[in-house]
Amino acid sequence: MPTTSLLTRIRYAEKDILEIYDNQDQQIKKTSLTLEEWDGFMAGNFDTGEFEGVAIAGVRSDWLAKTGIEFVDTPGAGDLEEARIKVIEEALLGCDGAIIAVNATQALSLSEQLFIKERLIMKKILIC
C-alpha cells in the first residue's frame, strides 16, 4: 500500500473497522475497513500538509484475539522530516520488536542509512 501519512495501529476488533483520530485524540472518522475509505489517508492527500494523528484498523482475527498482539505501522522515514521521526521514535520505544521495511531491489538511500544509524542505533533504540 502507498505510504500512510499517520501512525497506524492494527488490532483485534469484533468487526473490520477503521477509526481515525487527530493529534488531540478526537475521533474524526469511523467507517468500514475498505481500500476506498483508507485511500484518503495516504501521504500527500491533505491540502494543509500532513495529517497528524492515528489510524486504528480493527480486524476480526482469531489470532489477534488470542494473542492480544497489536501491530504498529509508522509513517515512512525516507525524508527525515522531524515531526515524523519523533512519531517513529516514540512508537519504537513503546514496542517489543520492530521490522524495518526497505526496498529489496535497490541499495538503502542516504536518508534510510542516516535514519537507521543516527535515530536507531546511536540512540540504542535498535540493537543489532
Side-chain angles (χ1 to χ4, degrees):
M1 137 173 17
T3 302
T4 53
S5 61
L6 64 163
L7 187 80
T8 304
R9 297 182 174 280
I10 303 164
R11 60 175 65 145
Y12 173 77
E14 291 290 322
K15 62 179 183 174
D16 292 349
I17 193 162
L18 175 63
E19 298 175 315
I20 307 294
Y21 294 85
D22 65 17
N23 61 355
Q24 306 294 316
D25 292 326
Q26 297 295 314
Q27 187 179 68
I28 62 167
K29 186 172 189 173
K30 183 174 183 177
T31 187
S32 60
L33 183 62
T34 65
L35 287 176
E36 292 80 22
E37 292 292 340
W38 189 258
D39 192 44
F41 294 94
M42 300 300 148
N45 285 5
F46 299 98
D47 294 336
T48 59
E50 284 196 21
F51 177 81
E52 293 180 14
V54 176
I56 298 177
V59 179
R60 189 167 182 220
S61 161
D62 292 338
W63 184 80
L64 287 175
K66 180 179 173 182
T67 62
I69 289 175
E70 177 179 273
F71 292 96
V72 179
D73 180 21
T74 65
D79 63 4
L80 298 179
E81 198 276 326
E82 196 60 37
R84 190 174 316 124
I85 297 300
K86 184 177 178 186
V87 168
I88 296 167
E89 287 178 345
E90 288 175 5
L92 288 171
L93 288 171
C95 70
D96 295 322
I99 298 170
I100 299 171
V102 296
N103 187 335
T105 62
Q106 59 193 80
L108 289 175
S109 70
L110 181 57
S111 62
E112 290 168 332
Q113 292 174 41
L114 287 171
F115 176 77
I116 292 169
K117 180 180 176 187
E118 295 177 5
R119 301 297 184 142
L120 301 180
I121 294 173
M122 295 193 62
K123 287 190 175 189
K124 298 187 179 173
I125 292 175
L126 175 69
I127 305 298
C128 297

